[in-house]
Amino acid sequence: MSSKIGILDFIPRDKYTSDFEAFQNTIKLAQHADELGLQRYWVAEHHNTPSILGNSPLILMARLASITKEIKVGAGGVMLDNTSPYQLAENMKTFSAILPGRIEMGVGHSTPTELEAQDELGLNIRHNLDYEAELRQLVAYSDANFALNGQRNASPIAMPVIHEDSMPLYLLSASAKRAQFCGEMGLGFNFGLFLNNNLDEAKQAIQIYRDYFRPSIFLSQPEATLSLFAVSAYNEDLIPILEHALDYWLMAFLTDKRSVYSLLSPDDAADYPFSKEEQAFVADFTYRKVVGDPLTIEKQLKALMTETKCDNFLIGNMLSTLPARRNLLEILAQIKL
């Protein structure tokens, strides 16, 4: 069983699938990932995206942790501009108290494009977010000894006060911009190749993170993760069809995510033609995904691990249909890294 591969679930909506069925599919997949011995099962936070339902990761985490036994459950990740450091720290501490050792937390922030889209909808959002300052607040509130460090009367205390190790905290990034900050704070570093497929920047970011890492209440040693999609199947004839469907969704996700309401079915994907402009756009998806039969996927991940010096992978499971996503879990669980 693999101990270096985790799953990132966006809670996709398949064609003709209801919201209820989409969430039930995620529950089934999390249970199967747990049985297979995969490293972790994280749920993404995305808004204003009809084809995926991961807009409330904390609720989903609680549900998935309650129906699994050993797999780490986490968020990939909570957007700090949609919550507050104090609120998130209390959620983290509550999770730690109820399910010690089972919960992980990834944090990020919305992109300028996403903020503009939320503005268009009239949502009350926080602009000009001082991201690093809020991360420092989150770290301070999450410190188990915060209430005893002489600041009891100066700042609110995040409850419950747990005098034990804090849960792991990871910073989600698609650039090298905060790699040094992440290392200095002793957080885990998750580079999203599926968002920024510049492998050189990923390598640079991970090296900077390692160079500046300091042990913390969250991690005793650096942990660098690459996040990307994977396309594989036992039936090799199905692989190009599943890849075509993923490319269709990813193209919309990166350009106009409100334009797609469900994943393409394999039948639809087999018949859907890309225009020349779309073909050119999709051709640039290198490193956003690994594609091939199970042996090829294993070779590609090993090569990426060697080249980037990452510690593990978080694989986005966005294949069309529940059986295809289930089979991908089984393929990933057999990979030895």
Side-chain angles (χ1 to χ4, degrees):
M1 300 299 180
S2 173
S3 61
K4 296 184 178 181
I5 296 180
I7 303 300
L8 179 61
D9 193 335
F10 292 74
I11 303 87
R13 187 202 308 272
D14 288 301
K15 189 175 182 180
Y16 305 127
T17 297
S18 68
D19 294 345
F20 176 80
E21 290 168 332
F23 286 119
Q24 291 302 305
N25 287 345
T26 281
I27 289 171
K28 293 173 184 176
L29 289 172
Q31 289 175 316
H32 196 43
D34 189 28
E35 294 164 355
L36 291 168
L38 286 161
Q39 184 185 39
R40 51 175 52 104
Y41 203 97
W42 283 17
V43 288
E45 178 176 342
H46 286 283
H47 302 273
N48 197 27
T49 312
S51 59
I52 53 178
L53 305 179
N55 59 302
S56 301
L58 296 176
I59 294 175
L60 286 168
M61 286 166 57
R63 176 60 173 150
L64 297 183
S66 73
I67 50 87
T68 53
K69 297 179 180 178
E70 297 183 1
I71 196 167
K72 305 287 187 180
V73 176
V78 174
M79 299 295 102
L80 268 182
D81 46 291
N82 293 327
T83 182
S84 71
Y86 184 70
Q87 181 182 33
L88 182 55
E90 291 209 316
N91 281 317
M92 291 169 60
K93 288 191 167 191
T94 301
F95 270 129
S96 290
I98 296 173
L99 292 160
R102 289 284 315 280
I103 304 296
E104 301 175 323
M105 191 66 68
V107 295
H109 66 91
S110 298
T111 64
T113 301
E114 175 61 20
L115 291 175
E116 289 175 7
Q118 293 184 33
D119 265 342
E120 291 177 8
L121 295 174
L123 299 179
N124 182 20
I125 57 177
R126 293 193 291 152
H127 287 286
N128 303 315
L129 179 75
D130 189 335
Y131 187 43
E132 291 189 5
E134 298 221 348
L135 283 169
R136 291 182 188 279
Q137 288 181 30
L138 177 61
V139 168
Y141 288 137
S142 303
D143 189 336
N145 297 310
F146 183 74
L148 304 178
N149 66 2
Q151 300 186 45
R152 180 178 289 123
N153 298 320
S155 302
I157 300 172
M159 301 296 294
V161 177
I162 303 171
H163 302 290
E164 298 173 1
D165 292 338
S166 297
M167 71 165 66
L169 182 62
Y170 299 82
L171 181 67
L172 278 61
S173 180
S175 75
K177 181 178 180 181
R178 291 191 173 87
Q180 178 177 336
F181 173 85
C182 185
E184 290 173 343
M185 298 299 289
L187 312 180
F189 185 67
N190 189 315
F191 190 96
L193 269 180
F194 71 94
L195 292 172
N196 176 9
N197 63 340
N198 185 329
L199 190 63
D200 288 337
E201 186 168 6
K203 291 160 57 177
Q204 178 191 25
I206 289 174
Q207 188 58 56
I208 293 171
Y209 165 69
R210 291 192 180 284
D211 289 343
Y212 285 90
F213 181 83
R214 299 172 186 168
S216 69
I217 60 171
F218 304 107
L219 293 173
S220 60
Q221 58 188 16
E223 184 178 346
T225 303
L226 283 183
S227 293
L228 69 164
F229 294 111
V231 182
S232 191
Y234 296 118
N235 178 358
E236 293 187 19
D237 293 337
L238 191 57
I239 294 173
I241 296 173
L242 293 173
E243 182 183 15
H244 196 79
L246 173 62
D247 286 345
Y248 169 82
W249 177 83
L250 187 51
M251 184 168 51
F253 181 74
L254 295 171
T255 56
D256 182 10
K257 58 187 184 179
R258 284 182 282 184
S259 66
V260 174
Y261 281 78
S262 67
L263 304 186
L264 284 180
S265 69
D267 287 342
D268 289 344
D271 296 330
Y272 184 87
F274 284 153
S275 67
K276 288 184 178 180
E277 291 79 9
E278 290 172 333
Q279 289 175 5
F281 190 77
V282 168
D284 190 38
F285 282 0
T286 306
Y287 300 123
R288 296 189 196 273
K289 59 189 177 181
V290 288
V291 181
D293 60 66
L295 182 58
T296 299
I297 292 291
E298 181 172 302
K299 289 179 178 178
Q300 290 176 331
L301 292 178
K302 284 182 176 179
L304 279 172
M305 179 169 278
T306 299
E307 188 167 2
T308 65
K309 297 182 174 61
C310 71
D311 297 294
N312 45 46
F313 294 97
L314 196 61
I315 301 296
N317 192 356
M318 280 296 293
L319 299 187
S320 296
T321 75
L322 177 61
R325 294 196 289 278
R326 183 181 176 89
N327 286 345
L328 181 60
L329 295 184
E330 295 165 358
I331 290 168
L332 293 173
Q334 297 302 316
I335 289 177
K336 304 293 190 297
L337 296 175

